[in-house]
Amino acid sequence: MNTVATSQIKLTPEHARPRTSVRSRLQDALPKIVLAPSFAITIVFVYGFILWTIYLSFTNSKTFPSYAITGGRAYQRLWGWTFDTDPPSSWYTSITNMGIFGFLYILICLALGLFLAILLDQKIRGEGVLRPIYLYPMALSFIVTGVAWKWFLDPGLGLEQTLHQWGWTSFHFDWIKNKDFVIYTVVIAGVWQASGFIMAMFLAGLRGIDGEIMKAAQIDGATTFQLYRRIVIPLLRPIFLSAFIVLAHLAIKSYDLVVALTSGGPGGSAWLPSNFMYEYTFKRNEMAVGSASAVIMLMTIVAIIVPYLYSELREKSR
């Protein structure tokens, strides 16, 4: 009898689902409500303007935006200036400087950052003082860094003038005023600012290595050089990759450092693609050409970041 009665009871949706109060619904929706304005702003003012820049690069926009699609003329002009002009164009100079600056900036920061991290990892005295000293430059803006190094490298009031006053009158260091060497002063200032941050990344990686592995290798007779070459540096591969991504991103978008340090250099000899983009978009009334150069910079960053994200996602899926 009880079995029959029980089998006849049917669960309605009201009985099957617990009732949620208005308060709990608001609590669930509150994070979405809070994040919605920033999400909308990001969509419009970041990704929206990226799409707008890509669109402008295919128009004949000059001082003001034009909505008439003209194809890839702006890109043709850029690469025509690169390979067909004599003397070299400012776009050719910009991408050449980008190659020099990016290569030296990334290589020296990685090498110097790793070297400093290994030194600090030896538990030396004064580590607590040295770490903030190395990290301090990263707290400065590129404008402050550029102005400080401009004063230091200026032959009339910086290093050269000081050494002349001390009696070393044969010393000359005029790279900041020499169109063939001015890009290397940008490398010096950039390395000074970023190497401490890279040092901190490597130091965190070194402190995360299991000490038992190191002790086992030392017991097996591994020298210090073999220890770092065969164990430590391979284990730091994710740190190397992350540091490379950060430095490459900073190198590609560098603008204010060049302006503050060299004002573009003699005849624009220190220009990077970001300086070219600003100059042609806002000063020379070539908005389409400036937009095309910005899109090329974007594609360069995407070409660096996408493989990194792919490798990270593949590691997590394993």
Side-chain angles (χ1 to χ4, degrees):
M1 187 70 178
N2 293 334
T3 304
V4 175
T6 304
S7 62
Q8 292 177 350
I9 299 176
K10 296 182 180 181
L11 292 176
T12 61
E14 288 77 8
H15 291 91
R17 299 177 183 175
R19 293 183 177 180
T20 57
S21 63
V22 176
R23 181 178 180 181
S24 61
R25 290 179 181 177
L26 288 175
Q27 289 178 343
D28 293 338
L30 184 60
K32 299 177 182 178
I33 295 173
V34 172
L35 292 175
S38 60
F39 179 76
I41 291 172
T42 301
I43 291 295
V44 173
F45 291 98
V46 177
Y47 297 100
F49 281 109
I50 288 175
L51 295 176
W52 177 245
T53 302
I54 295 174
Y55 175 80
L56 290 178
S57 68
F58 291 99
T59 66
N60 60 348
S61 301
K62 296 293 184 180
T63 305
F64 298 101
S66 173
Y67 301 98
I69 299 294
T70 58
R73 292 182 182 177
Y75 297 94
Q76 292 175 357
R77 290 180 64 186
L78 280 178
W79 297 117
W81 291 346
T82 301
F83 299 108
D84 300 334
T85 57
D86 188 21
S89 67
S90 52
W91 175 245
Y92 175 84
T93 302
S94 298
I95 60 176
T96 302
N97 286 340
M98 184 73 263
I100 296 172
F101 174 70
F103 176 77
L104 293 177
Y105 176 66
I106 294 173
L107 181 64
I108 297 175
C109 280
L110 288 176
L112 185 58
L114 179 61
F115 176 72
L116 293 175
I118 292 174
L119 288 182
L120 290 181
D121 193 47
Q122 308 305 312
K123 306 296 190 299
I124 62 175
R125 290 183 179 180
E127 177 186 346
V129 177
L130 291 175
R131 276 185 301 175
I133 291 176
Y134 292 144
L135 280 171
Y136 174 73
M138 198 62 189
L140 302 175
S141 69
F142 278 117
I143 294 292
V144 175
T145 298
V147 172
W149 277 94
K150 182 177 182 179
W151 292 342
F152 182 74
L153 297 176
D154 192 312
L157 51 88
L159 177 63
E160 181 177 321
Q161 178 66 20
T162 301
L163 292 178
H164 285 180
Q165 292 176 354
W166 289 354
W168 191 0
T169 57
S170 62
F171 178 82
H172 294 287
F173 192 81
D174 61 346
W175 285 11
I176 200 169
K177 297 183 180 298
N178 189 322
K179 65 182 183 64
D180 295 324
F181 292 95
V182 65
I183 188 61
Y184 298 103
T185 64
V186 183
V187 174
I188 293 171
V191 168
W192 177 80
Q193 182 163 27
S195 58
F197 175 69
I198 302 303
M199 177 272 297
M201 294 179 65
F202 280 123
L203 185 60
L206 289 171
R207 296 287 165 84
I209 295 176
D210 189 357
E212 297 299 325
I213 300 176
M214 309 282 284
K215 292 179 181 178
Q218 290 174 342
I219 292 173
D220 290 339
T223 63
T224 302
F225 177 76
Q226 292 174 334
L227 193 68
Y228 280 95
R229 178 173 174 266
R230 297 183 178 274
I231 297 176
V232 175
I233 292 181
L235 289 176
L236 292 177
R237 187 186 69 85
I239 307 298
F240 273 100
L241 187 57
S242 299
F244 173 80
I245 296 298
V246 171
L247 292 173
H249 176 260
L250 290 175
I252 292 171
K253 73 173 189 177
S254 293
Y255 169 81
D256 40 4
L257 179 62
V258 176
V259 172
L261 177 61
T262 68
S263 300
S269 55
W271 274 14
L272 295 176
S274 55
N275 303 97
F276 177 93
M277 181 272 296
Y278 180 86
E279 181 77 16
Y280 272 76
T281 302
F282 300 106
K283 291 186 178 181
R284 301 195 183 185
N285 301 325
E286 292 282 354
M287 188 175 293
V289 175
S291 298
S293 65
V295 172
I296 292 173
M297 292 169 57
L298 174 65
M299 292 300 102
T300 306
I301 294 175
V302 169
I304 294 172
I305 293 180
V306 168
Y308 169 74
L309 294 177
Y310 174 76
S311 64
E312 288 293 315
L313 294 175
R314 188 176 63 176
E315 289 290 335
K316 291 181 180 179
S317 64
R318 290 180 179 177

